[in-house]
Amino acid sequence: MPQADLFDDLDAGGVYCGVDEAGRGPLAGPVVAAAVILDPDRRIAALNDSKQLTERRREALFDEIRERASGWAIAEASVAEIDSLNILHASMLAMRRAVLALIEQGHPIDRAHIDGNRCPELPVIGHALVGGDASDPAIAAASILAKVSRDRQIVALDADYPQYGLARHKGYPTPAHLAALSEHGPSPIHRQSFAPVRRAMR
């Protein structure tokens, strides 16, 4: 969708934030969510679903979004919360925390646009948008903040758990990651509620 069309809703009145998460599929690490309020007077070129961007472009946009957005917040749900609640509910919790953090910063949000087919429980109106990270600029911005933030965490954890190759696969169930799990067993940052991790437990 053209960038001009992506920003139409920003000019429609009211204040909304876009919300997205990163890290539902990996076997290790937290699930991270972000909420972003874009400034229609400080538009950001080439916003798109984080999965459609190169790592280098995501990193550049990460800084630009934080500089040019009217407001932003990043939150997460821990591995323990994922194992306790399940990944869906933990994702909803992380997104709720991101929106609440924006509100606590003093931003007067009227509604939240959530990527996906369901919304977390929020104190503002929520709109679930399937494919929203490719059609809504604020959701696209949130997807970038969440993805880059989580990737940076996982790369940092690679220093503590080098045997799993986390910096390469970011915790996703690649053949190399599954082989490392089989050889070394799970670490404290692995999600024990996920079947491949349970199978590797000794």
Side-chain angles (χ1 to χ4, degrees):
M1 183 176 292
Q3 187 73 9
D5 293 339
L6 283 174
F7 277 91
D8 283 350
D9 198 26
L10 288 176
D11 300 319
V15 177
Y16 86 95
C17 65
V19 187
D20 201 3
E21 52 73 27
R24 287 181 66 167
L27 305 179
V31 58
V32 177
V36 177
I37 304 168
L38 291 178
D39 183 344
D41 296 323
R42 305 187 73 200
R43 301 193 176 196
I44 303 166
L47 283 175
N48 199 355
D49 172 11
S50 63
K51 297 184 292 295
Q52 303 302 317
L53 301 170
T54 65
E55 182 175 358
R56 182 176 180 180
R57 184 61 183 146
R58 286 196 301 267
E59 289 282 348
L61 283 169
F62 183 85
D63 294 332
E64 188 174 357
I65 291 163
R66 293 190 302 166
E67 177 187 351
R68 299 178 70 86
S70 294
W72 59 272
I74 299 171
E76 65 181 55
S78 68
V79 170
E81 288 171 324
I82 292 169
D83 286 339
S84 173
L85 300 172
N86 76 40
I87 186 59
L88 172 61
H89 289 94
S91 297
M92 293 292 111
L93 177 60
M95 289 192 284
R96 172 179 167 81
R97 285 171 171 166
V99 174
L100 291 178
L102 268 183
I103 294 172
E104 289 168 3
Q105 291 170 17
H107 296 287
I109 302 167
D110 299 305
R111 62 197 188 282
H113 293 187
I114 314 293
D115 183 56
N117 60 4
R118 64 181 68 199
C119 294
E121 183 179 339
L122 298 171
V124 297
I125 296 170
H127 294 295
L129 300 172
V130 175
D133 48 7
S135 63
D136 183 296
I139 294 178
S143 78
I144 292 164
L145 292 194
K147 170 69 172 168
V148 172
S149 178
R150 186 184 187 281
D151 282 356
R152 289 178 178 180
Q153 284 194 52
I154 298 303
V155 169
L157 286 168
D158 183 72
D160 296 324
Y161 305 100
Q163 66 270 38
Y164 300 102
L166 295 169
R168 294 190 301 275
H169 52 65
K170 308 299 190 295
Y172 282 89
T174 63
H177 191 185
L178 294 174
L181 267 175
S182 178
E183 180 178 358
H184 302 289
S187 73
I189 64 165
H190 279 92
R191 303 170 179 177
Q192 296 184 18
S193 56
F194 280 41
V197 178
R198 287 199 307 271
R199 287 195 294 268
M201 294 176 69
R202 297 170 178 171

